Structures are given as C-alpha cells and as structure tokens.
Amino acid sequence: MELNQLTIHELQEKIKNGEVSALQITESVFSRIDAVEERVHCYIRLMKEEALHAASKADDDIKKGDIKPLTGIPIALKDIVCTKGIVTTCGSHILHNFVPPYSATVVEKLTAAGAIYVGKTNMDEFAMGSSTETSWFGPTRNPWDLERIPGGSSGGSATAVAADECIASIGSDTGGSIRQPAALCGIVGMKPTYGRVSRFGLIAFASSLDQIGPFTKDVEDCAIMMNILAGYDPKESTSVNAEVPDYRQFIGRDIKGWKIGIPKEYFIEGIDPEVTAAIKKAITVIEQGGGQCVNITLPHTQYCVATYYIIAPAEASSNLARYDGVRYGLRAADVRDLLEMYRTTRMEGFGAEVKRRIMIGTYALSAGYYDAYYKKASQVRALIKRDFDEAFKTCDVILTPTSPTPAFKIGEKTDDPLQMYLSDIFTISTNLAGIPGISIPCGFTSGGLPIGMQFLAGHFEEGKLIQIASAYEKNAKNEKRRPAL
Ligand code: GLN
C-alpha cells in the first residue's frame, strides 16, 4: 500500500515508530494528485509548496518527540471554511478573489493538532446542491465512475479522501452535504450535533442548520477528527458548552443489547433495490453483533423536504444579502450608480441555483407570506424534532439508507431541481432536528458503485454513532476496494 492510501491511525503508528516521515507522506499525496487530479477535479486550490514546507517542519517536531494527533497528516479543507490569507471561494464567482482576514476555528484547531493542508476542495456554490455541479469552478467527478457525480455539496472533500488525494478532510452539512457524498464515494462522513463543532469562520448558508464535520477512510479516523473538532467556542454563539468525551474510547466496543430503530418512512418506493438489499444485509450483521432491530415511526418525515426548502432558502436569502460588491469579492465594473453596481455584481457573481434559492427565500420571508411559509415551516420543524425525541425513547440509534440511489450521472438532474432536492430525502431531517448522523459504507452495487447507510442518535450522542459504526465495520468485514481510476 502507498502511504497516501493509509488512515490517520495507521500513519500515526508509522510516524511514531520512525518508519516514515511527514515529508514522505505529503509527497505521496501530491504524487497521487499529479496522477489523477486532472480527471477527478476535487480541488479548487492546491497548496503544495506550503504543505511541503509544513511537512519538513513537522519532521523537526517528530525528531524532538513532539507528536500531536495530526502531526504529518495531509488534510483537505472544503472551500467554505475561511483560511487566513488564502483565497476562500465557497465555489462561487462572487468570492473568487476573497482573502479572509482570519481562519475558522476548526482550521485553528486542526493547525494546533499538527495538520498539513493539501488544499481547498471543490463544492456546490455556497453549498447549495447535491452533486458538486453548481460550482463556478466546474464539476468534480466520482472516483468510482468518472461519468458520475460524487454527491454534494462537499463533493470535493469526499472525493479527495476516496481517491486518496488526502488522508482526511473537512466538509459542511446543512441538509446532507457530508453524509450523502460520503455514501456516494464509499467513505465515512459525520454531521455532528448542531452546536458541537464551532461554525466560526464557516461561510454561512442556512445558519440554523449548518454544521462542520469530517470525512475519513474509516470510523476510527472519524473519532480522531471529532476529538479535534468538537468543543465549545466563545466566538460562536450557537456552540454549546458541553463536555466532549474521548471519541476513540467508543471504537471496538460491542453493541450487545442495543435497540436499533428502523423507521418505516425511510423504506419507501423509489429506493434503488440494490440500496435496499445492502441495508438488509447490514441489518443482519448488526443483529449478529448483538443489536436488536425494532420498527419505529417518524410520522412527519413526509414534510421534511418541503420544510427544509422553506427554511434553508429563507436563511440563505438573508445570509447572502451581504454580497453587495462593497465588502467582499467581486465588484461589477462599468456601472453608473450604486444600485446598478449591486444588481450587476449579484447578477454576474451568483449562479442559477443560488439565485433560485435567494428568490424562494425572499418570497417566503416577504410581508404577507411569512406566516404562511417560514412560520409554518418552523412549526413543522418542531414536530419533526419531536418525532426523533419520541423515537429515541424506544431505541438507542436509528438506521436508514443515506441516499435513495447510488451516484447518478453528471447532468442527469441539473435541469430538474426537484429531483435534485429529493437526493437529500433521508439526510435533511437530521439537520432540522439538530441531531448527529454518520454515513458509513455498506457495500457496492453490481456496477461497482458504493452504497452508504446512515446512523442517527440523540443530541450530543456522537459517541454512540462511532460505537455502532465501528462495531458494524468490524463485524461486516466488507472487502476493501479502491477506485480504479
Ligand atoms: N443538498 C442540500 C441543498 O442543496 C443540502 C446541501 C448541504 O447540506 N449544504 O441544500
């Protein structure tokens, strides 16, 4: 195996034993990038020179015995997290030249943990999408089949891990943007509880739903990343001051006696039969491991997509009002007055999907419609959250498919926004309820595309997700495949 194919914990061992250097690891990642990135396009910006420099510095630290959890580990960042002095685009023309004056808290934390940054990854513009096709920088391709999408909006971060163009990466999840691409690329992705990871320095899409989380090659790496990312941040008003456990302690524990809720509303018509078959097989593995599957109901599930597509665009229309050509990024040239400058900047700077969301959101918030749409959606959201509160009285975790289908073809859904929105049918409820979720691989279709399943738990119970995901990973003994590329 090449170094770039290994996990964080495998590399940590090798670094500690003096078997490999940070420079060797970083070089192996960049030689992989040289070989495949042109076909995959998961990065908007590569930071090779900085990375090699950081790697030789890491090697000095290693020699001194100063080894932190991510010392020498190449990490990729979704281009939605601000990096001080480094262009941060959010996949948009309007921010194509935006240089943040500060770094996101997660970046500060990763840096303090020793991470080496490979680059900034591609994404749907302002994280609005499920396929990474709305990026101003062009689409990312699924490493398992270059004709297909990698999922979205964090498609670049998922692909970078799946294609071994980094060891782990950071994404953001507003309605499924970590879990759905993780499923479609055959890797692990976690959306933590709302408030668990600081959003300071995350470019806002829908502030009551956004959360940052990791993409990794296995569940243990997810625990390692969560140990670094989680925790209270005084700079972020929605970050919660609750104790953070050592997530690694949940690795390798069994799930004997656990009740796993199977919600009937998530096994509906229209799911790809190969996805259903893979989940059924996974259920058998979980039962053999001592878990007991119980039928549960989440009665308001049918309203999730509609509720999300009021709340998320409404918050987006308000958040994106700040891009006026004055304070950030693009400013239209050759304009006569201020109003024309605003209009032309926004017309030229935003893509079609972002404009669609701004229009939907502005409409939903406008005088006379607010009660009918936004207020109503907020009330339904409370019911959706209550469904989960009730369900967790009878089960420890919930199991669902992550996505109704495996990766679809590039261009297949671009002309049909509603079909695109339905890709998130199983992931959106999590964000509306503010609970944590994880997607892990559970097999392949006959055509060789990865399939993912999702576990959900109560607020701040990421540890349970890691425990069951790790137990499944161990018991399933799924064959380790890598994309051919
Ligand atoms: N695909 C969903 C959307 O388009 C979710 C995106 C996300 O989680 N950022 O809004």
Side-chain angles (χ1 to χ4, degrees):
M1 286 248 274
E2 304 291 331
L3 293 176
N4 62 313
Q5 299 180 327
L6 300 179
T7 60
I8 300 174
H9 57 94
E10 287 164 342
L11 289 168
Q12 274 174 341
E13 275 305 303
K14 291 192 184 297
I15 289 175
K16 280 187 191 141
N17 299 338
E19 271 177 72
V20 298
S21 69
L23 200 58
Q24 285 170 321
I25 299 170
T26 308
E27 278 170 348
S28 98
V29 164
F30 278 97
S31 69
R32 175 69 173 172
I33 289 172
D34 288 343
V36 302
E37 173 60 7
E38 213 184 331
R39 279 173 287 151
V40 176
H41 187 232
C42 56
Y43 286 100
I44 290 176
R45 163 177 300 263
L46 285 163
M47 292 152 57
K48 186 170 181 179
E49 218 171 288
E50 298 92 320
L52 293 174
H53 182 76
S56 32
K57 243 193 103 255
D59 282 326
D60 292 342
D61 293 342
I62 294 166
K63 272 191 212 106
K64 284 185 242 151
D66 176 12
I67 305 177
K68 299 188 192 75
L70 292 181
T71 296
I73 308 292
I75 300 285
L77 300 169
K78 185 177 182 180
D79 210 15
I80 194 169
V81 292
C82 286
T83 39
K84 185 177 176 178
I86 297 160
V87 175
T88 300
T89 69
C90 221
S92 183
H93 186 205
I94 213 159
L95 286 179
H96 74 286
N97 58 356
F98 169 58
V99 182
Y102 59 85
S103 283
T105 295
V106 294
V107 175
E108 302 281 5
K109 286 188 169 199
L110 291 165
T111 305
I116 291 173
Y117 299 118
V118 183
K120 306 288 299 276
T121 62
N122 200 16
M123 55 180 285
D124 280 301
E125 186 178 9
F126 283 99
M128 297 172 189
S130 308
S131 65
T132 316
E133 290 170 293
T134 72
S135 170
W136 187 66
F137 299 89
T140 295
R141 290 168 184 276
N142 190 309
W144 296 92
D145 178 349
L146 296 173
E147 301 293 302
R148 292 177 189 268
I149 58 97
S153 65
S154 316
S157 282
T159 300
V161 172
D164 298 311
E165 292 185 62
C166 68
I167 307 302
S169 66
I170 293 296
S172 66
D173 190 312
T174 305
S177 279
I178 293 175
R179 291 159 290 151
Q180 183 254 17
L184 271 38
C185 288
I187 58 168
V188 175
M190 175 179 274
K191 178 208 109 64
T193 308
Y194 186 75
R196 177 90 288 187
V197 175
S198 169
R199 294 181 296 114
F200 180 78
L202 172 74
I203 296 177
F205 162 10
S207 307
S208 77
L209 302 159
D210 298 340
Q211 223 351 243
I212 294 175
F215 287 101
T216 54
K217 298 185 193 198
D218 70 4
V219 179
E220 184 162 357
D221 276 8
C222 177
I224 293 172
M225 291 293 279
M226 281 302 294
N227 277 352
I228 296 161
L229 299 174
Y232 175 62
D233 179 6
K235 287 192 258 185
E236 208 261 270
S237 62
T238 63
S239 114
V240 172
N241 198 350
E243 203 195 323
V244 181
D246 173 6
Y247 291 110
R248 256 177 127 163
Q249 69 177 296
F250 299 99
I251 299 291
R253 287 195 192 167
D254 70 48
I255 51 156
K256 286 205 179 75
W258 279 34
K259 288 210 166 64
I260 291 92
I262 311 288
K264 65 169 191 277
E265 294 82 0
Y266 283 66
F267 292 84
I268 45 174
E269 231 175 278
I271 304 185
D272 187 297
E274 290 194 281
V275 172
T276 312
I279 302 284
K280 284 210 173 120
K281 215 171 134 207
I283 288 178
T284 319
V285 172
I286 288 163
E287 292 190 319
Q288 281 161 357
Q292 187 199 343
C293 291
V294 294
N295 292 325
I296 59 159
T297 171
L298 297 165
H300 295 92
T301 299
Q302 58 174 313
Y303 305 113
C304 287
V305 174
T307 303
Y308 174 88
Y309 278 99
I310 297 291
I311 291 178
E315 294 183 9
S317 81
S318 153
N319 271 325
L320 271 58
R322 74 190 67 178
Y323 304 105
D324 54 8
V326 176
R327 290 169 287 186
Y328 311 91
L330 184 76
R331 177 181 302 179
D334 303 326
V335 286
R336 281 181 311 247
D337 55 29
L338 184 65
L339 197 59
E340 191 181 322
M341 194 280 284
Y342 288 157
R343 281 196 188 125
T344 318
T345 300
R346 288 170 70 85
M347 187 181 71
E348 291 173 354
F350 291 134
E353 183 60 29
V354 173
K355 286 177 185 158
R356 180 179 298 125
R357 307 272 180 125
I358 292 173
M359 284 191 282
I360 296 173
T362 307
Y363 181 84
L365 290 177
S366 54
Y369 293 108
Y370 179 88
D371 282 358
Y373 294 107
Y374 191 77
K375 191 169 160 217
K376 189 58 135 194
S378 303
Q379 288 164 338
V380 178
R381 180 180 187 174
L383 296 175
I384 292 164
K385 182 181 168 292
R386 203 157 74 193
D387 283 355
F388 282 103
D389 294 342
E390 286 302 314
F392 287 124
K393 287 181 186 160
T394 60
C395 63
D396 295 278
V397 292
I398 292 172
L399 167 60
T400 80
T402 308
S403 162
T405 65
F408 46 89
K409 290 258 170 72
I410 290 180
E412 196 179 314
K413 299 189 182 179
T414 35
D415 296 332
D416 189 346
L418 196 58
Q419 277 310 311
M420 189 70 90
Y421 297 170
L422 288 171
S423 328
D424 306 305
I425 188 158
F426 300 143
T427 47
I428 273 174
S429 55
T430 318
N431 303 72
L432 290 169
I435 58 174
I438 192 171
S439 178
I440 61 167
C442 68
F444 289 87
T445 65
S446 50
L449 296 173
I451 299 172
M453 69 171 157
Q454 171 176 249
F455 290 111
L456 306 174
H459 293 98
F460 298 101
E461 293 189 328
E462 286 83 0
K464 277 191 179 170
L465 297 180
I466 287 170
Q467 185 163 340
I468 189 162
S470 141
Y472 168 79
E473 192 181 56
K474 185 170 133 219
N475 297 335
K477 297 190 188 68
N478 288 332
E479 60 168 316
K480 286 241 185 296
R481 286 195 212 176
R482 307 202 100 83
L485 277 177

